[in-house]
Amino acid sequence: MQMQMQMQMGAMIQMQMAQMQMMPMMPVPVMLPLQPAPPGDPDAAELAQCSFEDLAALELEAQEAEEVAKGEARRSDGFVGLMARYIEDEGFGFISCPECKELWTKTDIFISGRNFMAAGVDVGDMVSFSVEKDGKDLPRACKVRTLPELTGLRKRLAKLREILRVPAPAAGLKRI
């Protein structure tokens, strides 16, 4: 009797599987849980409620703000870049700026510790700056100043991407 029940159950399972193969597969939306907001971050609760449409709007806002800043910098023969790194033990750092490649053949522009400290910038800040040649005829950042609005937008955008688990676009590619 038990053997007969097992055979019947096996036949039922085979029939169900055959029916499933005949049914067209429907796409199943993937729902990823949101990352929990970092504790103590006043923006976190608001960002946790954001959607992908909000992300797209914020990306557009940041892109437009960056274009405005670059336009203003160009009018004074300057550039806009990211304070990419600062080596405290060595007393210097680098500003990453793809636009500098054409004129200076480098995308990372040297910034002395003195200029870094005088400008009051932090690694991760968006900055405007001018470039001059140093004693070795190499490019050096000068007249560095933080762009607080653009820095804030970029940091907010990074947090939102992290919460929504969306990677940043690769360098040189623009997200639509």
Side-chain angles (χ1 to χ4, degrees):
M1 178 89 155
Q2 189 176 10
M3 179 75 117
Q4 189 177 16
M5 283 180 64
Q6 285 178 346
M7 289 176 61
Q8 285 177 345
M9 286 178 66
M12 284 176 44
I13 290 172
Q14 285 180 347
M15 286 175 41
Q16 287 176 348
M17 289 179 69
Q19 286 176 348
M20 287 176 66
Q21 288 176 350
M22 295 171 72
M23 297 168 78
M25 294 301 286
M26 299 289 290
V28 178
V30 178
M31 300 296 287
L32 295 174
L34 295 177
Q35 292 269 73
D41 186 352
D43 245 3
E46 180 186 344
L47 289 175
Q49 304 302 315
C50 289
S51 66
F52 289 105
E53 289 81 19
D54 297 323
L55 174 65
L58 187 58
E59 284 177 337
L60 184 61
E61 184 180 354
Q63 186 178 22
E64 288 171 353
E66 189 169 339
E67 288 305 316
V68 167
K70 286 179 179 181
E72 290 173 5
R74 273 192 295 273
R75 281 191 280 286
S76 61
D77 292 326
F79 299 93
V80 170
L82 173 70
M83 186 64 225
R85 58 193 176 282
Y86 182 74
I87 306 161
E88 197 166 337
D89 294 343
E90 302 290 329
F92 65 86
F94 293 94
I95 298 172
S96 178
C97 177
E99 286 81 13
C100 288
K101 177 107 174 147
E102 190 176 310
L103 188 58
W104 299 99
T105 67
K106 296 179 179 294
T107 57
D108 288 346
I109 304 298
F110 176 88
I111 180 172
S112 68
R114 183 178 300 158
N115 280 338
F116 180 83
M117 295 299 177
V121 297
D122 289 319
V123 171
D125 285 354
M126 293 300 293
V127 296
S128 67
F129 62 101
S130 295
V131 179
E132 62 185 15
K133 290 183 180 181
D134 66 6
K136 297 177 186 175
D137 217 28
L138 296 171
R140 170 186 299 251
C142 62
K143 301 178 191 167
V144 179
R145 66 180 184 90
T146 302
L147 299 170
E149 181 185 340
L150 185 54
T151 297
L153 280 171
R154 297 272 307 236
K155 288 181 179 181
R156 185 173 167 88
L157 185 56
K159 284 181 194 175
L160 185 54
R161 283 183 182 136
E162 183 180 331
I163 289 169
L164 294 175
R165 295 184 178 178
V166 175
L173 299 178
K174 292 186 179 178
R175 191 181 296 271
I176 297 175

